[in-house]
Amino acid sequence: MTREPIAPLDLLDIDSLLSEEDIAIRDTVRKYVEKRIKPDVATWFEEGKLPVRELALELGELGVLGMHLDGYGCAGTSALAYGLACTELEAGDSGIRSLVSVQGSLAMKAIHAFGSEEQKQTWLPGMASGEIIGCFGLTEPDFGSNPSGMRTNAKRDGDDWILNGTKMWITNGSVADVAVVWARTDDGIKGFIVQTNSEGFSAPEIHRKMSLRASVTSELILDNVRVADSQRLPEVSSLRGPLTCLNEARFGILFGTVGAARDCLETAISYSISREQFDKPIAGFQLTQKKLADMALELQKAMLLAIHVANLKDKHASNATQVSIGKLNNAREALKIARECRSILGANGVTLEYPIIRHMNNLESVFTYEGTNEMHTLVVGEALTGIAAFR
Ligand code: TGC
Ligand code: FAD
């Protein structure tokens, strides 16, 4: 007997854990993604182009840029609402969630948490509205997982600093108006707000990516860039600065990955019901149902984990280890789900006519950035044993 599938992607009624306000925010973002992102994103991905400036203004209007920060034009929503927005954005494409993560959780968060009052007033309102685009330069060609080795340096020169070095793989780098650059000084690692029209600053775009193609990724080259001391973030002088921002962006990934995986599973379920082989829908084969059931379980567990960490965060009771657990699990499981869904579409799964292979390729980057799978494994290992095994 065939029964109508019931709410196939919310079998556990996870929606019942959300407030009306959370659901309203989520549905607003979902509608924007359905209307504005989904129709064009395969073309952006294929062409390796994203209309960042146009989208930034729209995302600012939508209220998602720095939405979980307080004041300075930011909406000050709960962490949970921010997470749910990330789920919807990444159901569109990881590149769109990346744009929002880098702007709100990395560049804006750095200024919000470690900037002076004047810096906050100067930069944050324009960044919240999307008129000013930011990027966040931590990774270097020779220092990815281990940013403590960074070579980019800042030397004091009177009232100014002179910055030299190269940052690598920087999202929004070549479209940004302002770059938060982390650099080594004689007095620890400090953050600088560098205007990208400064003399000596350039940001060549990185081409030929097979992942995050609907996202701009660049190198940042700093060649004797002069920055006033008033552009230094005054409140931090160690790796704690960038790592605090990374906690925020990693938190968004807990939810975002669920969105990408959900879009894959939704596509695979509907495809498997309509695609017939051996005179019946492929959804009617037990092997297909096992795949779908296992993926639905992992997807629901990932969302419950994300919501749990969000609730702790909203009570100011979350810690970095919990965020690492979520990033580790949800990026890994989302990638597995995308690969399994791809198999259900057979040959159709390898084309951009369906979203799955785009999500799958994107999730390879998500698995690596914001701390690789291995780095988060070691964070959890350290929490369990008390022994840091990074070095
Ligand atoms: P360690 O010696 O343990 O700590 C140095 C200082 O940082 C503090 N700290 C943290 N603070 C806040 N949050 C955390 N999660 C923190 N972890 C450590 C620590 O208390 C200390 O502070 P202080 O004041 O005493 O100096 O650091 P370590 O050098 O041993 O490194 C630890 C490790 C490996 C976990 C860290 O380096 C790491 O997370 N590496 C991964 C690098 C990474 O994630 N890079 C991401 C770059 S940005 C990006 O990918 C954007 S992608 C675009 C998008 O999001 O869409
Ligand atoms: P490596 O650190 O060289 O690692 C290579 C492999 O070795 C990984 O599997 C890693 O887990 C493993 N490894 C390294 N050390 C250990 C160890 N101790 N034990 C076990 N295994 C280990 N960075 C920014 O600063 N800003 C951005 O906006 C930004 N955007 C990005 C966008 C994209 C599309 C991508 C792909 C990356 C972006 N990054 C950004 C960089 C990203 O954070 C780094 O790629 C990531 O931190 C890993 O660094 P790496 O690529 O140099 O790899």
Side-chain angles (χ1 to χ4, degrees):
M1 186 176 123
T2 307
R3 293 201 185 92
E4 275 299 294
I6 304 162
L9 294 175
D10 192 12
L11 297 171
L12 294 175
D13 194 15
I14 291 176
D15 272 11
S16 66
L17 301 175
L18 309 178
S19 69
E20 274 179 28
E21 193 185 341
D22 294 332
I23 289 177
I25 292 174
R26 180 197 68 186
D27 289 351
T28 303
V29 180
R30 186 178 290 185
K31 269 188 209 132
Y32 170 80
V33 169
E34 291 292 337
K35 188 163 168 238
R36 179 64 174 108
I37 304 300
K38 286 194 173 175
D40 288 330
V41 70
T43 306
W44 295 335
F45 186 98
E46 189 168 20
E47 293 177 354
K49 287 184 186 151
L50 187 73
V52 180
R53 204 154 278 282
E54 223 176 279
L55 293 178
L57 288 171
E58 292 171 15
L59 292 162
E61 177 86 27
L62 193 64
V64 296
L65 301 177
M67 67 187 272
H68 57 306
L69 304 177
D70 286 320
Y72 310 98
C74 305
T77 67
S78 65
L80 179 55
Y82 168 56
L84 295 169
C86 288
T87 301
E88 298 310 321
L89 293 166
E90 197 149 352
D93 192 87
S94 301
I96 307 300
R97 197 268 309 133
S98 262
L99 196 172
V100 171
S101 290
V102 167
Q103 178 86 347
S105 287
L106 293 179
M108 291 174 74
K109 173 71 183 181
I111 298 171
H112 196 269
F114 302 115
S116 66
E117 187 54 35
E118 194 188 336
Q119 290 167 347
K120 291 180 204 179
Q121 306 236 13
T122 304
W123 297 106
L124 294 179
M127 292 174 88
S129 68
E131 282 155 290
I132 299 171
I133 295 175
C135 69
F136 182 90
L138 178 64
T139 305
E140 299 190 353
D142 294 329
F143 296 93
S145 297
N146 178 22
S148 72
M150 69 174 67
R151 292 206 185 99
T152 299
N153 61 81
K155 300 233 182 301
R156 196 70 203 245
D157 184 35
D159 287 341
D160 298 335
W161 294 83
I162 307 293
L163 269 65
N164 278 291
T166 305
K167 297 291 178 182
M168 192 68 182
W169 303 112
I170 307 305
T171 302
N172 292 348
S174 50
V175 286
D177 303 291
V178 67
V180 171
V181 173
W182 298 95
R184 179 180 300 293
T185 74
D186 291 341
D187 182 28
I189 289 170
K190 295 184 192 288
F192 294 86
I193 305 173
V194 181
Q195 287 173 256
T196 56
N197 60 4
S198 304
E199 205 180 323
F201 182 98
S202 57
E205 193 171 340
I206 297 171
H207 293 288
R208 308 186 81 181
K209 284 178 299 170
M210 295 305 290
S211 171
L212 263 295
R213 290 183 55 74
S215 175
V216 172
T217 317
S218 317
E219 232 178 302
L220 305 184
I221 300 172
L222 298 121
D223 179 10
N224 285 315
V225 176
R226 182 172 288 275
V227 172
D229 188 50
S230 59
Q231 289 168 253
R232 174 179 57 83
L233 298 175
E235 300 299 334
V236 76
S237 291
S238 92
L239 211 50
R240 184 174 62 81
L243 292 180
T244 299
C245 305
L246 291 184
N247 289 337
E248 294 292 308
R250 290 167 178 172
F251 170 78
I253 289 176
L254 266 64
F255 281 88
T257 46
V258 171
R262 185 190 75 201
D263 200 47
C264 292
L265 185 53
E266 236 161 27
T267 306
I269 291 173
S270 120
Y271 184 90
S272 67
I273 291 170
S274 63
R275 171 75 178 171
E276 293 195 355
Q277 287 296 292
F278 299 96
D279 305 321
K280 68 176 196 180
I282 57 170
F285 296 115
Q286 290 183 356
L287 288 176
T288 309
Q289 290 203 2
K290 177 168 166 43
K291 289 181 186 178
L292 296 176
D294 284 347
M295 290 190 286
L297 257 56
E298 287 309 324
L299 187 65
Q300 306 264 293
K301 280 151 66 180
M303 192 54 159
L304 288 172
L305 171 53
I307 291 174
H308 174 65
V309 175
N311 287 336
L312 290 175
K313 195 164 156 54
D314 279 324
K315 284 191 243 163
H316 303 286
S318 69
N319 61 43
T321 304
Q322 292 155 351
V323 173
S324 280
I325 290 170
K327 200 282 180 178
L328 174 62
N329 184 77
N330 290 9
R332 180 170 71 193
E333 295 308 320
L335 183 54
K336 282 195 214 156
I337 288 173
R339 288 173 178 158
E340 192 81 302
C341 288
R342 214 288 308 147
S343 79
I344 290 176
L345 267 71
N348 278 322
V350 308
T351 78
L352 281 173
E353 295 305 314
Y354 295 88
I356 296 176
I357 199 156
R358 177 170 50 78
H359 285 307
M360 188 181 104
N361 281 9
N362 285 340
L363 287 166
E364 291 289 351
S365 284
V366 179
F367 188 74
T368 287
Y369 69 29
E370 296 288 1
T372 63
N373 178 68
E374 290 75 11
M375 286 303 106
H376 291 293
T377 302
L378 295 178
V379 169
V380 178
E382 183 180 6
L384 292 173
T385 63
I387 302 169
F390 303 105
R391 295 180 165 79

